[in-house]
Amino acid sequence: MEDERYSKLREVNPSLEDPRIICVGKYREKNGQDILVDAVAETSVGVTVDFVGPDTTDIVESEQIVTHGFVSEQRLIELFESASLMVFPAPVGAFPVATLEGLCSGLPVVTTPGVGTAALVRGVNPRLIADPTPSDMERAINWYFALPHEQRVELSHRASNYGSGFDEKTGLDAFAFEFANLLNDLGYDATNNA
């Protein structure tokens, strides 16, 4: 099922023209959506944010804020396609699937240094990393939307390249390789002890 979702996301052609952001995740303080709401209120471009995930309907809607709550997989893919940037404003996070899905769909992602996927985002462009404050999120968002369309397309291609390696088979193969190396380093011969 996850492989199927990643296959669909790889086919997404994000709408890089419009200043539209997607933010995916359950609405709670640790995910930082309130930071993004405050940042968007101060941006110099007319940004719209689609908040997707459980309890996001608790966020107060405005001209710039649209809440969707939990959506079907098809609707999620449509929202990724209508966006030109993903923002994951959580101050910390292990390795959030939402950011991988954003990259996989070709969306540049703004996130914080405390999120495990920050290394991937930094590879797309270091200016997409923002501290978990409204002013720094605003800075990153304004920077991105001030770029010429051609540069946004280039960042989209980079995001897609970073996201392309994430599917179940690739992950299992990488884990098996690293695990075999670890066992070898420990002097354990897995071929004789199977």
Side-chain angles (χ1 to χ4, degrees):
M1 179 97 159
E2 293 256 333
D3 278 347
E4 188 176 316
R5 177 184 286 182
Y6 282 105
S7 293
K8 289 178 183 176
L9 288 170
R10 284 187 194 93
E11 295 173 10
V12 166
N13 186 16
S15 176
L16 301 176
E17 291 289 336
D18 298 326
R20 192 163 199 102
I21 295 171
I22 186 169
C23 180
V24 179
K26 183 175 183 176
Y27 179 50
R28 51 187 168 178
E29 186 176 343
K30 77 174 208 167
N31 282 338
Q33 288 101 332
D34 291 333
I35 295 168
L36 179 55
V37 168
D38 291 344
V40 166
E42 301 301 320
T43 57
S44 60
V45 290
V47 176
T48 301
V49 182
D50 289 299
F51 285 97
V52 181
D55 301 327
T56 57
T57 53
D58 292 344
I59 299 170
V60 177
E61 288 193 321
S62 69
E63 277 188 32
Q64 294 179 291
I65 306 296
V66 181
T67 64
H68 299 273
F70 183 81
V71 297
S72 69
E73 183 173 294
Q74 182 57 43
R75 181 66 180 134
L76 179 63
I77 289 168
E78 291 168 1
L79 288 165
F80 272 116
E81 195 152 43
S82 69
S84 53
L85 179 68
M86 177 178 201
V87 178
F88 191 81
V92 295
F95 209 74
V97 170
T99 57
L100 296 176
E101 290 174 343
L103 292 169
C104 192
S105 69
L107 286 175
V109 175
V110 170
T111 196
T112 68
V115 171
T117 49
L120 298 172
V121 172
R122 194 172 282 110
V124 175
N125 190 296
R127 294 191 70 176
L128 295 168
I129 302 297
D131 287 334
T133 65
S135 61
D136 215 40
M137 284 284 155
E138 174 199 353
R139 174 207 50 80
I141 292 166
N142 284 336
W143 171 80
Y144 175 76
F145 285 115
L147 293 174
H149 178 72
E150 301 77 33
Q151 289 182 350
R152 286 195 225 167
V153 169
E154 173 58 32
L155 293 179
S156 174
H157 289 303
R158 286 186 201 169
S160 183
N161 286 338
Y162 275 95
S164 67
F166 294 95
D167 57 43
E168 186 176 8
K169 180 179 178 350
T170 303
L172 289 173
D173 290 347
F175 176 80
F177 177 77
E178 292 298 331
F179 190 65
N181 284 339
L182 174 64
L183 292 176
N184 188 42
D185 290 346
L186 295 172
Y188 185 81
D189 184 1
T191 57
N192 291 330
N193 296 311

